[in-house]
Amino acid sequence: MGWAIALHGGAGDIPRSMPPERREPREAALRHCLQIGVDAIKAGRSPLDVVELVVRELEDNPHFNAGRGSVLTSNGTVEMEACVMVGDTKKCGAVSGLTTVKNAVSLARLVMEKTPHIYLGFDGAEQFAKEQGVETLDASHFITPENVDRLKQAKEANKVQIDYTQPIQKVEEEDESASLPNGDSQIG
Amino acid sequence: TVGCVAVDSSGNLAAATSTGGLVNKMAGRIGDTPIIGAGTYANSLCAVSATGKGEAIIRATIGRDVAALMEYKGLSLEKAAAYVVQECAPVGTVGLVAVSANGQVTMPFNTNGMFRACANEDGYTHVGIWQD
Protein backbone atom coordinates (compact mmCIF):
# COMPACT_ATOMS: atom_id res chain seq x y z
CA MET A 1 0.00 0.00 0.00
CA GLY A 2 1.30 3.43 -0.94
CA TRP A 3 0.42 6.48 -2.96
CA ALA A 4 0.57 6.39 -6.73
CA ILE A 5 -0.29 8.71 -9.58
CA ALA A 6 -0.60 8.29 -13.34
CA LEU A 7 -1.53 10.72 -16.08
CA HIS A 8 -2.03 10.80 -19.83
CA GLY A 9 -1.81 13.48 -22.48
CA GLY A 10 -3.63 11.63 -25.23
CA ALA A 11 -3.30 8.53 -27.37
CA GLY A 12 -3.33 7.93 -31.08
CA ASP A 13 -1.21 7.36 -34.13
CA ILE A 14 1.89 9.06 -32.76
CA PRO A 15 4.70 8.59 -35.30
CA ARG A 16 8.02 7.38 -33.91
CA SER A 17 9.53 9.83 -36.37
CA MET A 18 8.01 12.71 -34.42
CA PRO A 19 10.67 15.41 -34.49
CA PRO A 20 12.34 16.43 -31.22
CA GLU A 21 10.87 19.93 -31.36
CA ARG A 22 7.41 18.41 -31.11
CA ARG A 23 8.23 15.49 -28.78
CA GLU A 24 10.41 17.18 -26.19
CA PRO A 25 7.96 19.88 -25.06
CA ARG A 26 5.31 17.23 -24.50
CA GLU A 27 7.66 15.01 -22.54
CA ALA A 28 8.72 18.00 -20.46
CA ALA A 29 5.10 18.87 -19.82
CA LEU A 30 4.35 15.31 -18.70
CA ARG A 31 7.27 15.43 -16.24
CA HIS A 32 6.19 18.84 -15.00
CA CYS A 33 2.60 17.78 -14.44
CA LEU A 34 3.69 14.54 -12.79
CA GLN A 35 5.89 16.47 -10.39
CA ILE A 36 3.01 18.76 -9.51
CA GLY A 37 0.93 15.71 -8.66
CA VAL A 38 3.70 14.04 -6.68
CA ASP A 39 4.36 17.19 -4.66
CA ALA A 40 0.66 17.57 -3.93
CA ILE A 41 0.12 14.02 -2.80
CA LYS A 42 3.29 14.11 -0.67
CA ALA A 43 1.92 17.28 0.91
CA GLY A 44 -1.16 15.38 1.98
CA ARG A 45 -3.62 16.75 -0.55
CA SER A 46 -6.57 14.47 -1.29
CA PRO A 47 -6.53 12.38 -4.47
CA LEU A 48 -9.41 14.53 -5.76
CA ASP A 49 -7.35 17.68 -5.25
CA VAL A 50 -4.38 16.02 -6.92
CA VAL A 51 -6.18 14.91 -10.07
CA GLU A 52 -7.87 18.30 -10.44
CA LEU A 53 -4.56 20.10 -10.01
CA VAL A 54 -2.77 17.93 -12.55
CA VAL A 55 -5.53 18.06 -15.13
CA ARG A 56 -5.76 21.86 -14.81
CA GLU A 57 -2.06 22.01 -15.64
CA LEU A 58 -2.54 19.72 -18.62
CA GLU A 59 -5.51 21.82 -19.78
CA ASP A 60 -3.40 24.95 -19.71
CA ASN A 61 -0.73 23.37 -21.91
CA PRO A 62 -1.40 23.99 -25.64
CA HIS A 63 0.39 20.77 -26.61
CA PHE A 64 -2.51 18.67 -25.32
CA ASN A 65 -6.10 18.32 -26.43
CA ALA A 66 -7.96 20.03 -23.58
CA GLY A 67 -8.38 23.62 -22.53
CA ARG A 68 -5.94 25.75 -24.52
CA GLY A 69 -5.10 23.65 -27.56
CA SER A 70 -8.43 21.85 -27.75
CA VAL A 71 -9.16 20.47 -31.18
CA LEU A 72 -11.86 22.08 -33.28
CA THR A 73 -15.32 21.03 -34.35
CA SER A 74 -16.29 21.05 -38.01
CA ASN A 75 -17.54 24.58 -37.39
CA GLY A 76 -14.09 25.68 -36.22
CA THR A 77 -15.24 26.06 -32.62
CA VAL A 78 -14.14 24.40 -29.38
CA GLU A 79 -16.50 22.25 -27.33
CA MET A 80 -14.69 21.02 -24.27
CA GLU A 81 -15.71 18.40 -21.73
CA ALA A 82 -14.41 17.04 -18.46
CA CYS A 83 -15.24 14.73 -15.59
CA VAL A 84 -14.13 13.93 -12.05
CA MET A 85 -14.98 10.94 -9.88
CA VAL A 86 -14.14 9.97 -6.32
CA GLY A 87 -13.64 6.28 -5.57
CA ASP A 88 -14.99 5.64 -2.09
CA THR A 89 -18.22 7.64 -2.48
CA LYS A 90 -18.63 7.30 -6.26
CA LYS A 91 -19.48 10.97 -6.30
CA CYS A 92 -18.87 12.44 -9.73
CA GLY A 93 -19.40 15.49 -11.88
CA ALA A 94 -19.17 16.11 -15.60
CA VAL A 95 -19.55 18.90 -18.14
CA SER A 96 -19.78 19.05 -21.92
CA GLY A 97 -20.04 21.65 -24.63
CA LEU A 98 -17.97 24.32 -22.90
CA THR A 99 -16.71 27.17 -25.04
CA THR A 100 -15.37 29.73 -22.57
CA VAL A 101 -14.45 27.95 -19.33
CA LYS A 102 -10.68 28.01 -18.81
CA ASN A 103 -10.52 24.79 -16.79
CA ALA A 104 -13.38 22.41 -17.49
CA VAL A 105 -12.22 19.92 -14.88
CA SER A 106 -12.81 22.41 -12.07
CA LEU A 107 -16.32 23.10 -13.32
CA ALA A 108 -16.95 19.35 -13.34
CA ARG A 109 -15.88 19.25 -9.70
CA LEU A 110 -18.30 22.08 -8.92
CA VAL A 111 -21.12 20.12 -10.56
CA MET A 112 -20.25 17.27 -8.22
CA GLU A 113 -20.00 19.40 -5.11
CA LYS A 114 -22.58 22.15 -5.65
CA THR A 115 -25.47 20.51 -7.47
CA PRO A 116 -27.65 17.45 -6.92
CA HIS A 117 -26.77 16.38 -10.46
CA ILE A 118 -23.93 14.57 -12.21
CA TYR A 119 -23.75 16.11 -15.66
CA LEU A 120 -24.37 19.56 -17.16
CA GLY A 121 -23.94 20.41 -20.83
CA PHE A 122 -23.72 23.33 -23.23
CA ASP A 123 -25.71 26.49 -22.30
CA GLY A 124 -26.62 25.12 -18.89
CA ALA A 125 -23.03 24.33 -18.10
CA GLU A 126 -21.88 27.77 -19.25
CA GLN A 127 -24.61 29.39 -17.15
CA PHE A 128 -23.54 27.35 -14.13
CA ALA A 129 -19.94 28.44 -14.71
CA LYS A 130 -21.00 32.08 -14.60
CA GLU A 131 -23.01 31.52 -11.42
CA GLN A 132 -20.02 29.87 -9.76
CA GLY A 133 -17.64 32.60 -10.85
CA VAL A 134 -15.15 30.29 -12.50
CA GLU A 135 -12.60 31.82 -14.85
CA THR A 136 -13.79 32.22 -18.41
CA LEU A 137 -11.95 33.42 -21.48
CA ASP A 138 -12.79 34.35 -25.03
CA ALA A 139 -13.05 31.24 -27.17
CA SER A 140 -10.09 32.41 -29.22
CA HIS A 141 -7.84 31.66 -26.23
CA PHE A 142 -8.32 27.94 -26.76
CA ILE A 143 -7.67 27.89 -30.51
CA THR A 144 -4.07 27.36 -31.64
CA PRO A 145 -2.69 27.73 -35.19
CA GLU A 146 -1.70 24.06 -35.18
CA ASN A 147 -5.27 22.98 -34.53
CA VAL A 148 -6.60 25.28 -37.22
CA ASP A 149 -4.25 23.47 -39.62
CA ARG A 150 -5.34 20.06 -38.32
CA LEU A 151 -8.99 20.93 -38.90
CA LYS A 152 -8.19 22.08 -42.42
CA GLN A 153 -6.45 18.79 -43.17
CA ALA A 154 -9.27 16.76 -41.64
CA LYS A 155 -11.93 18.63 -43.58
CA GLU A 156 -10.03 18.17 -46.83
CA ALA A 157 -9.91 14.43 -46.16
CA ASN A 158 -13.46 14.40 -44.74
CA LYS A 159 -12.26 12.56 -41.64
CA VAL A 160 -12.23 12.96 -37.90
CA GLN A 161 -8.98 12.47 -36.01
CA ILE A 162 -8.29 11.24 -32.51
CA ASP A 163 -5.43 12.70 -30.52
CA TYR A 164 -2.14 12.90 -32.36
CA THR A 165 -3.31 11.31 -35.56
CA GLN A 166 -0.58 11.77 -38.13
CA PRO A 167 -1.27 14.53 -40.62
CA ILE A 168 -3.41 13.28 -43.48
CA GLN A 169 -1.37 13.01 -46.64
CA LYS A 170 -2.89 13.90 -49.98
CA VAL A 171 -1.86 11.17 -52.42
CA GLU A 172 -2.23 13.49 -55.37
CA GLU A 173 0.36 15.82 -53.88
CA GLU A 174 3.46 15.72 -56.05
CA ASP A 175 5.23 18.83 -54.89
CA GLU A 176 8.28 17.33 -53.17
CA SER A 177 9.15 20.64 -51.59
CA ALA A 178 5.82 20.82 -49.86
CA SER A 179 5.72 20.38 -46.13
CA LEU A 180 2.94 20.38 -43.61
CA PRO A 181 2.46 23.28 -41.21
CA ASN A 182 3.86 21.28 -38.30
CA GLY A 183 7.08 20.56 -40.16
CA ASP A 184 6.37 16.92 -41.07
CA SER A 185 7.46 16.16 -44.62
CA GLN A 186 4.72 14.75 -46.80
CA ILE A 187 7.17 12.59 -48.69
CA GLY A 188 8.84 10.96 -45.70
CA THR B 1 -7.51 13.96 -24.07
CA VAL B 2 -5.77 14.50 -20.78
CA GLY B 3 -6.40 12.70 -17.54
CA CYS B 4 -5.04 11.80 -14.15
CA VAL B 5 -5.68 9.13 -11.53
CA ALA B 6 -4.36 9.11 -8.00
CA VAL B 7 -4.44 7.04 -4.84
CA ASP B 8 -3.16 8.12 -1.45
CA SER B 9 -1.49 5.99 1.19
CA SER B 10 -4.86 5.23 2.74
CA GLY B 11 -6.25 3.80 -0.48
CA ASN B 12 -8.49 6.74 -1.38
CA LEU B 13 -8.92 7.02 -5.14
CA ALA B 14 -9.90 9.68 -7.68
CA ALA B 15 -9.95 10.11 -11.44
CA ALA B 16 -10.28 13.12 -13.73
CA THR B 17 -10.37 13.50 -17.52
CA SER B 18 -10.64 16.51 -19.82
CA THR B 19 -10.72 16.88 -23.59
CA GLY B 20 -11.53 18.84 -26.68
CA GLY B 21 -12.80 15.71 -28.42
CA LEU B 22 -12.07 14.76 -32.00
CA VAL B 23 -10.73 16.98 -34.76
CA ASN B 24 -13.60 17.84 -37.14
CA LYS B 25 -16.23 16.38 -34.81
CA MET B 26 -19.82 17.43 -35.35
CA ALA B 27 -20.97 20.30 -33.16
CA GLY B 28 -22.86 18.84 -30.23
CA ARG B 29 -20.95 15.57 -30.23
CA ILE B 30 -20.32 14.20 -26.76
CA GLY B 31 -17.43 11.81 -26.28
CA ASP B 32 -16.41 9.37 -23.62
CA THR B 33 -14.73 11.78 -21.22
CA PRO B 34 -17.80 12.97 -19.30
CA ILE B 35 -19.56 9.62 -19.49
CA ILE B 36 -19.20 7.93 -16.12
CA GLY B 37 -17.97 4.39 -16.60
CA ALA B 38 -16.54 5.05 -20.06
CA GLY B 39 -13.70 7.56 -20.12
CA THR B 40 -13.70 8.16 -16.39
CA TYR B 41 -14.45 5.86 -13.48
CA ALA B 42 -13.45 5.33 -9.87
CA ASN B 43 -14.70 3.11 -7.06
CA SER B 44 -13.13 1.64 -3.93
CA LEU B 45 -10.91 -0.68 -6.00
CA CYS B 46 -9.45 1.48 -8.75
CA ALA B 47 -9.51 4.78 -10.64
CA VAL B 48 -9.39 4.89 -14.44
CA SER B 49 -9.02 7.64 -17.06
CA ALA B 50 -9.17 6.72 -20.75
CA THR B 51 -8.16 8.40 -23.98
CA GLY B 52 -8.66 7.62 -27.64
CA LYS B 53 -11.78 7.34 -29.78
CA GLY B 54 -14.71 8.19 -27.57
CA GLU B 55 -17.31 6.19 -29.43
CA ALA B 56 -15.29 2.99 -28.98
CA ILE B 57 -14.62 3.76 -25.33
CA ILE B 58 -18.31 4.33 -24.64
CA ARG B 59 -19.37 1.14 -26.41
CA ALA B 60 -16.85 -0.87 -24.39
CA THR B 61 -17.52 0.94 -21.08
CA ILE B 62 -13.77 0.91 -20.62
CA GLY B 63 -13.46 2.43 -17.17
CA ARG B 64 -16.23 0.46 -15.55
CA ASP B 65 -15.13 -2.81 -17.15
CA VAL B 66 -11.68 -2.53 -15.57
CA ALA B 67 -13.31 -2.10 -12.17
CA ALA B 68 -15.85 -4.87 -12.83
CA LEU B 69 -13.16 -7.39 -13.73
CA MET B 70 -11.41 -6.61 -10.47
CA GLU B 71 -14.64 -6.67 -8.48
CA TYR B 72 -16.32 -9.74 -9.93
CA LYS B 73 -13.45 -11.79 -11.26
CA GLY B 74 -10.75 -10.88 -8.80
CA LEU B 75 -8.25 -9.83 -11.44
CA SER B 76 -5.35 -7.59 -10.57
CA LEU B 77 -5.45 -4.03 -11.88
CA GLU B 78 -2.82 -4.79 -14.49
CA LYS B 79 -4.60 -7.88 -15.83
CA ALA B 80 -8.02 -6.23 -15.82
CA ALA B 81 -6.80 -3.16 -17.67
CA ALA B 82 -4.79 -5.19 -20.17
CA TYR B 83 -7.80 -7.39 -20.91
CA VAL B 84 -10.11 -4.44 -21.48
CA VAL B 85 -7.67 -2.60 -23.71
CA GLN B 86 -6.67 -5.62 -25.77
CA GLU B 87 -9.95 -7.55 -25.93
CA CYS B 88 -12.81 -5.11 -25.52
CA ALA B 89 -12.00 -2.24 -27.88
CA PRO B 90 -10.87 -2.21 -31.51
CA VAL B 91 -7.15 -1.89 -32.12
CA GLY B 92 -6.06 1.71 -32.41
CA THR B 93 -8.85 3.22 -30.36
CA VAL B 94 -8.00 3.28 -26.66
CA GLY B 95 -5.43 3.88 -23.99
CA LEU B 96 -5.91 4.29 -20.26
CA VAL B 97 -4.14 5.05 -17.03
CA ALA B 98 -5.28 3.40 -13.82
CA VAL B 99 -4.29 3.00 -10.19
CA SER B 100 -5.61 0.57 -7.60
CA ALA B 101 -6.38 1.08 -3.94
CA ASN B 102 -3.21 -0.79 -2.99
CA GLY B 103 -0.99 1.47 -5.08
CA GLN B 104 -0.61 -0.50 -8.31
CA VAL B 105 -0.25 1.52 -11.53
CA THR B 106 -0.86 0.48 -15.14
CA MET B 107 -0.96 2.41 -18.43
CA PRO B 108 -1.89 0.08 -21.34
CA PHE B 109 -2.92 1.23 -24.82
CA ASN B 110 -3.73 -0.35 -28.18
CA THR B 111 -2.89 2.72 -30.23
CA ASN B 112 0.50 3.42 -31.74
CA GLY B 113 1.39 5.55 -28.74
CA MET B 114 0.13 7.34 -25.67
CA PHE B 115 1.64 10.32 -23.88
CA ARG B 116 1.83 9.12 -20.27
CA ALA B 117 3.63 9.35 -16.98
CA CYS B 118 3.42 7.78 -13.54
CA ALA B 119 5.09 7.68 -10.15
CA ASN B 120 4.61 5.86 -6.88
CA GLU B 121 5.68 5.96 -3.27
CA ASP B 122 8.51 3.48 -3.87
CA GLY B 123 10.28 6.02 -6.05
CA TYR B 124 9.34 4.49 -9.39
CA THR B 125 8.84 7.08 -12.13
CA HIS B 126 8.09 6.58 -15.80
CA VAL B 127 7.46 8.95 -18.70
CA GLY B 128 6.73 7.44 -22.12
CA ILE B 129 5.08 7.77 -25.50
CA TRP B 130 5.47 4.49 -27.39
CA GLN B 131 5.65 0.84 -26.31
CA ASP B 132 9.00 0.38 -24.63
Side-chain angles (χ1 to χ4, degrees), chain A residues 12-18 22 150 153-154 159-169 180 182 184-185, chain B residues 112 130:
Chain A
D13 184 14
I14 306 169
R16 284 185 180 268
S17 60
M18 172 181 273
R22 297 187 69 213
R150 289 184 67 190
Q153 293 167 9
K159 288 183 177 177
V160 296
Q161 299 176 339
I162 64 173
D163 293 357
Y164 305 103
T165 303
Q166 291 191 68
I168 297 161
Q169 304 197 4
L180 293 171
N182 59 18
D184 289 340
S185 168
Chain B
N112 185 32
W130 300 281

Side-chain angles (χ1 to χ4, degrees), chain B residues 101-116:
Chain B
N102 61 8
Q104 293 177 312
V105 183
T106 191
M107 303 189 290
F109 52 95
N110 69 15
T111 54
N112 185 32
M114 178 170 77
F115 293 101
R116 63 196 188 279

Side-chain angles (χ1 to χ4, degrees), chain B residues 13-105:
Chain B
L13 292 147
T17 316
S18 182
T19 191
L22 297 170
V23 180
N24 201 26
K25 68 180 181 181
M26 292 175 68
R29 177 261 191 186
I30 290 171
D32 63 275
T33 295
I35 306 296
I36 302 300
T40 311
Y41 190 74
N43 66 6
S44 60
L45 297 174
C46 66
V48 182
S49 176
T51 175
K53 189 174 181 184
E55 285 74 5
I57 292 168
I58 293 170
R59 287 188 185 104
T61 57
I62 293 293
R64 173 56 195 160
D65 269 21
V66 173
L69 285 169
M70 296 177 70
E71 183 175 357
Y72 297 131
K73 219 171 177 185
L75 296 190
S76 67
L77 176 77
E78 185 174 8
K79 287 183 178 176
Y83 180 86
V84 168
V85 168
Q86 298 304 329
E87 305 297 334
C88 301
V91 172
T93 60
V94 64
L96 65 83
V97 299
V99 292
S100 68
N102 61 8
Q104 293 177 312
V105 183

Side-chain angles (χ1 to χ4, degrees), chain A residues 77-148:
Chain A
T77 58
V78 291
E79 290 185 353
M80 300 172 286
E81 47 196 27
C83 179
V84 294
M85 188 163 187
V86 179
D88 57 348
T89 61
K90 292 186 184 174
K91 286 185 177 178
C92 49
V95 287
S96 279
L98 301 179
T99 57
T100 67
V101 175
K102 180 171 176 283
N103 293 106
V105 68
S106 293
L107 188 64
R109 180 170 178 173
L110 287 169
V111 170
M112 178 180 79
E113 294 179 336
K114 305 286 187 184
T115 81
H117 308 301
I118 285 175
Y119 191 172
L120 295 177
F122 297 88
D123 290 348
E126 289 280 344
Q127 178 63 34
F128 179 65
K130 288 184 177 69
E131 291 169 4
Q132 294 296 315
V134 304
E135 187 175 3
T136 57
L137 294 165
D138 186 89
S140 61
H141 163 81
F142 304 101
I143 299 173
T144 63
E146 185 176 41
N147 283 339
V148 172

